[in-house]
């Protein structure tokens, strides 16, 4: 999802917030909050739903959510008394109140490879050159289950010519990282459909490109 608003661009796949050519810095959860509100605009997202999306089963107080909203406003130079982007609905939640348009990109971007993990009912897109999998809430792929180390494993995107490959490596985790039921001792390339086990849970790795997925012509049957 790439959305433009008020001179800013938020790209949820590359996890970048830009103003013109300048990249702006947001913490991981502040970025996720802004992305959620943009996706649900102009509707109000209540605090309980936001806490569940951002922290899962972890219990947090309202101040944590308020701090993320304040961080977003600071970066966007948004006045909470006269908001252009982020509106507080007191005792309920937050809403994105500005004008925004979705940018679907061009044909070349559709041909670029995409990588993601499927975990339970979540789809976690890999963005950037390196993603950390772990129990630390600041991890790129946050897996808060028993047996997962705070920084359990890392996935790097390696480009050679026109090809890009995802490579996973264990980060000296307590319980190890397994790909296709085998514990990995060194970096291992991932293939579409590989099952990765960490701690007491598994993730399924997926990759896709439009260029590699043409529509198959079906044979016509004679009458």
């Amino acid at each position: 999802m790439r959305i433009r608003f008020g001179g800013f661009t938020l790209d949820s796949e590359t996890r970048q917030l830009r103003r013109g050519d300048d990249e702006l810095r947001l913490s991981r959860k502040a970025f996720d909050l802004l992305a959620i509100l943009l996706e649900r605009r102009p509707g109000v997202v209540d605090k309980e739903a936001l806490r569940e999306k951002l922290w899962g089963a972890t219990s947090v107080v309202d101040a944590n959510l308020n701090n993320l909203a304040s961080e977003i406003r600071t970066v966007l130079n948004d006045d909470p008394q006269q908001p252009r982007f982020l509106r507080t609905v007191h005792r309920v939640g937050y809403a994105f109140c500005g004008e925004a348009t979705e940018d679907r990109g061009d044909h070349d971007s559709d041909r670029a490879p995409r990588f993601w993990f499927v975990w339970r009912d979540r789809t976690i897109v890999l963005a950037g050159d390196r993603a950390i999998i772990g129990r630390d809430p600041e991890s790129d792929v946050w897996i808060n289950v028993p047996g997962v180390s705070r920084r359990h494993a890392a996935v790097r995107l390696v480009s050679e010519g026109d090809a890009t490959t995802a490579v996973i490596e264990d980060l000296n985790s307590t319980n190890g990282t397994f790909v296709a039921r085998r514990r990995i001792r060194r970096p291992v390339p991932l293939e579409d459909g590989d099952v990765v086990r960490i701690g007491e849970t598994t993730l399924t790795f997926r990759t896709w490109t439009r260029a590699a997925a043409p529509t198959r012509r079906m044979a016509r049957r004679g009458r």
Side-chain angles (χ1 to χ4, degrees):
M1 177 182 73
R2 184 187 300 152
I3 295 182
R4 302 181 187 276
F5 61 96
F8 300 93
T9 302
L10 181 138
D11 192 324
S12 60
E13 290 199 5
T14 63
R15 295 191 65 83
Q16 290 178 306
L17 175 65
R18 293 184 176 276
R19 180 174 55 205
D21 294 329
D22 298 327
E23 183 173 356
L24 307 177
R25 305 300 298 176
L26 278 177
S27 67
R28 174 178 171 270
K29 291 193 184 301
F31 185 96
D32 289 343
L33 173 58
L34 179 57
I36 291 168
L37 296 178
L38 278 164
E39 184 177 6
R40 296 281 295 275
R41 68 189 190 281
V44 178
V45 187
D46 65 68
K47 292 181 179 181
E48 183 178 352
L50 289 172
R51 285 194 294 265
E52 181 178 352
K53 286 181 175 291
L54 294 170
W55 286 281
T58 302
S59 178
V60 297
V61 297
D62 281 353
N64 295 72
L65 196 55
N66 297 341
N67 289 339
L68 295 182
S70 178
E71 180 184 346
I72 292 171
R73 287 184 171 120
T74 298
V75 170
L76 300 182
N77 194 26
D78 197 23
D79 184 353
Q81 303 303 318
Q82 296 180 318
R84 294 186 299 147
F85 306 119
L86 189 62
R87 179 169 67 93
T88 299
V89 182
H90 294 290
R91 299 185 180 181
V92 179
Y94 294 93
F96 187 87
C97 59
E99 293 291 331
T101 57
E102 187 168 354
D103 182 358
R104 299 185 180 278
D106 55 25
H107 181 71
D108 288 340
S109 65
D110 286 338
R111 298 174 67 88
R114 301 178 185 178
F115 305 93
W116 68 96
F117 282 109
V118 177
W119 179 58
R120 296 179 177 173
D121 60 346
R122 294 172 56 194
T123 297
I124 308 170
V125 176
L126 302 182
D129 295 330
R130 191 169 188 260
I132 300 296
I133 305 172
R135 191 166 44 83
D136 188 331
E138 294 301 317
S139 299
D140 303 289
V141 181
W142 181 37
I143 307 296
N144 189 27
V145 297
V148 176
S149 298
R150 293 186 65 82
R151 291 169 58 87
H152 196 105
V155 177
R156 293 182 295 110
L157 302 185
V158 180
S159 297
E160 295 184 5
D162 294 333
T164 302
T165 304
V167 177
I168 189 170
E169 60 181 320
D170 185 74
L171 297 180
N172 296 318
S173 65
T174 301
N175 295 305
T177 301
F178 297 77
V179 177
R181 299 184 179 181
R182 294 185 178 182
R183 185 167 184 167
I184 62 174
R185 306 290 182 180
R186 57 182 182 275
V188 172
L190 288 171
E191 297 182 0
D192 184 47
D194 275 346
V195 175
V196 178
R197 179 164 67 86
I198 60 172
E200 298 180 4
T201 194
T202 59
L203 305 88
T204 302
F205 175 76
R206 300 304 310 271
T207 181
W208 179 88
T209 60
R210 187 179 298 277
T215 302
R216 182 171 61 89
R217 184 179 295 277
M218 301 178 63
R220 294 177 179 267
R221 293 184 178 182
R223 295 183 178 180

